[in-house]
Amino acid sequence: MPTLWSAIDQPDDVIERSPTGAIVSAWNALQTYAEEILTLYPSVKPRRPIAPGRVAPGELVRMLQQAGLEQDAVALMHDLRTLRNTTVHGTTVVTPQAARDFVRGCKTVGILLEDLTWPQPNPSGGAFH
C-alpha cells in the first residue's frame, strides 16, 4: 500500500501545475494495483485485453465487480474512469481542486480494493473465486 499511496498522491505543486497529469498518474497507479489484485482471481478474465497484463478501464471495473468489489466502490470507480476519460481526451478542463478530489477518490477505492486481497472460499468447496 505505501507504494500505491506514493504513486496516487501528488505533491500540491504538481497538482497546481498539471491537474491533468495528476489525474492520469493517480488512475494509472490505481489501475496497476487493481490489476495486481485481479491476479488472485484466475476465473475473472478480461473479455479483450489491450496489452499483456493490461485491460481497458471499463473492463477493469467490470472484472473488479465480478471479483466481489462492493457496489459503492464500483460506482466510484465508474465515476473516476469517466473523469479520467474526459480528462485524457481533452473534453473537460480540470481544475487543481478537481484533481485533488480525484486523487482522494482513488485513495478511497484503493482502501476498498484491499478487501479483495483475501479471496473468499468458493461456496462449492473449491479454494478461491
Side-chain angles (χ1 to χ4, degrees), residues 2 20 25 29 51 58 66 73-74 89 91-92 126:
T20 298
S25 293
Q66 252 190 311
V74 169
H89 299 296
T91 56
T92 274

Side-chain angles (χ1 to χ4, degrees), residues 42-114:
S43 65
V44 177
K45 302 239 184 270
R47 290 183 274 219
R48 209 172 24 135
I50 56 176
R54 300 301 289 197
V55 294
E59 184 70 359
L60 178 71
V61 175
R62 181 195 68 78
M63 292 171 66
L64 289 168
Q65 186 172 21
Q66 252 190 311
L69 186 61
E70 294 177 16
Q71 192 54 43
D72 289 349
V74 169
L76 179 54
M77 276 201 80
H78 274 299
D79 292 345
L80 292 171
R81 180 183 65 86
T82 299
L83 182 55
R84 175 236 173 243
N85 288 348
T86 59
T87 300
V88 167
H89 299 296
T91 56
T92 274
V93 176
V94 180
T95 66
Q97 187 55 51
R100 284 184 197 93
D101 292 343
F102 186 93
V103 167
R104 206 171 6 264
C106 286
K107 286 180 174 181
T108 298
V109 171
I111 290 167
L112 295 170
L113 284 172
E114 283 185 53

